[in-house]
Every structure is written in C-alpha cells, then in structure tokens.
Amino acid sequence: RAKSDHVDFLLTVGDNFYPDGVSSVDDPQWKTKFEDVYADPALQIPVYPILGNHDWKGNPQAQVEYSQRNKNWKMPARYYTFVRTLGDGTNVQFFAIDSDPIQRLFGDSSAQLEWLDVELGKSTARWKIVFGHHPLYSHGDMHGNNDVMIAKVGPLLTKHHVDLYLCGHDHTLEMLKPIGGVYHVVTGAGGGPDMAYGVDWSDGSYYAATLGGFTLCRVGGSEIV
C-alpha cells in the first residue's frame, strides 16, 4: 500500500514490541520486529511512535533513545508534538501522548495532561490530531470504553476542538461517530488475525472490523479521509 499510495510517514499507536517491550537500544527485536518488517524501500519514511502498555513492560526510555540509532524512528520523548504542512500551506499538528501513565494514574500523568492542555491551546493548525495507545471509546470485546481516559483526556479533546483521536489497545479496527465533535478511530489490529479481538458494530460506529489491518489517512485542506 505504501508503494501504491506514496505514504509520507507512519504513526504507531503503541505496543510496538509485543508482549514485553524492549530491554535496550541493542535489543535484537529492533531488527526482527522493526527494521526487517519495514525494510521495503517504500517504507524508508519517518515513523512517529508512541508507547503502549506492553512497551512499559520493558524499557520505555530505550524506545526514545533508539531515535539516535535509526533516522526513521522519530520519538524525541514519551509524549511530543510535531507539525506537517501540506502543499497548499495547510498545517496539521499531531500530538503524541503516552496513555499508560494517564490511565493507570502513575508517574508524570498530571504533568503530561497539563502539557497536552497547553500545547493544544497554543496550536493554530487547521487540523489537530491526537494519538495515544488507549481508547476513550471502543466497542472491542476485550477492553471497550476506558473511564479514566474519558475523564482525563476527553475534556481536553473537546475543549480544544481536536478533530481526530487515533488509538489502539483493542486489537480491532473501528471508526466511531463523533463524540463531542471529536472523531475516534481505533486502529489496533496490526497484530493480525492471530491476535484479533471481537468487536461489535453498534449504532455508535461508522465501521467496525477484526482479523487485522491498519488505517490509511489522507489529509487535505478541507477534509481528512
């Protein structure tokens, strides 16, 4: 798909190394689960990762430090923001969050939420896209809605008129109808059919599927597809 659609960059929604993260920047999984998997020339593009709960089972800081080893791995911190400018001058700002501390209420979760509030408030981008590992809302059979994420992150997405929240955790694909003006897309199906969870296609869903897959986004001045 990257060959046919000229993909500009990739986002991950966490659980980059399943099931126990990586131990260091020298962990052999960097080769077997990242470099070898994304070896095609069409995939020699920037990758903007975030951490998932399984990444926290290993050494999460090693995934930040690997940015110094591989030019394609763009993870300057556990949470960060970057802007992409389209050909017509439209700005798209992405906000990468580390949702595991937030939903488990540990570490610097309060500082991270304050950072997100400030950065979203400063943004003048036409499109604001937040991506994190844990869904706020999901009809996946394994996890479903996350009350802590709804309480902690939800008000910030609504307050700052975020357009799209991308997430994983449930091993499904789902696009929900907008909640508080925010579209929620669960794109946690990268593990394929062997790791798939069930999902219900409810009245709150535009689309729901299982058995593996990914999400391709096309962003223009007037729409995100």
Side-chain angles (χ1 to χ4, degrees):
R1 192 60 182 265
K3 288 178 179 178
S4 63
D5 283 82
H6 182 66
V7 174
D8 293 297
F9 59 92
L10 301 175
L11 306 178
T12 81
V13 289
D15 285 359
N16 305 311
F17 298 94
Y18 205 89
D20 296 316
V22 292
S23 59
S24 71
V25 293
D26 297 312
D27 194 307
Q29 292 182 100
W30 285 110
K31 177 169 172 51
T32 59
K33 293 184 177 180
F34 176 62
E35 295 171 10
D36 290 351
V37 174
Y38 296 93
D40 192 274
L43 292 171
Q44 299 310 301
I45 53 179
V47 179
Y48 296 96
I50 55 166
L51 299 169
N53 58 303
H54 285 270
D55 296 310
W56 270 94
K57 294 177 184 290
N59 180 353
Q61 185 61 25
Q63 297 200 33
V64 176
E65 294 170 357
Y66 187 71
S67 299
Q68 305 303 314
R69 290 283 188 96
N70 189 313
K71 64 181 178 60
N72 290 339
W73 187 268
K74 307 287 189 182
M75 192 178 188
R78 291 192 293 106
Y79 49 92
Y80 59 95
T81 182
F82 65 96
V83 176
R84 283 281 183 140
T85 302
L86 306 182
D88 63 359
T90 299
N91 282 335
V92 186
Q93 188 162 0
F94 296 85
F95 304 83
I97 64 171
D98 181 12
S99 65
D100 201 48
I102 295 172
Q103 67 94 31
R104 290 171 53 198
L105 303 174
F106 79 89
D108 63 351
S109 58
S110 295
Q112 183 181 175
L113 290 167
E114 181 178 351
W115 168 87
L116 182 61
D117 190 15
V118 170
E119 291 298 324
L120 284 170
K122 291 193 308 187
S123 176
T124 59
R126 167 66 179 88
W127 301 110
K128 299 177 186 179
I129 298 174
V130 178
F131 60 113
H133 181 63
H134 293 83
L136 280 69
Y137 305 97
S138 166
H139 296 101
D141 291 350
M142 183 64 71
H143 299 297
N145 292 350
N146 188 309
D147 292 340
V148 175
M149 290 291 290
I150 291 170
K152 297 291 185 180
V153 178
L156 299 180
L157 303 183
T158 303
K159 171 186 175 182
H160 295 292
H161 308 289
V162 168
D163 299 286
L164 174 63
Y165 179 70
L166 293 164
C167 59
H169 200 45
D170 268 324
H171 299 182
T172 61
L173 297 172
E174 184 179 12
M175 181 175 181
L176 288 86
K177 295 178 181 177
I179 300 168
V182 183
Y183 285 90
H184 294 257
V185 171
V186 182
T187 178
D194 292 343
M195 300 297 294
Y197 296 168
V199 62
D200 295 322
W201 193 326
S202 76
D203 290 340
S205 304
Y206 282 129
Y207 178 83
T210 186
L211 297 180
F214 59 92
T215 298
L216 178 71
C217 291
R218 295 187 185 91
V219 184
S222 61
E223 65 180 1
I224 299 176
V225 180

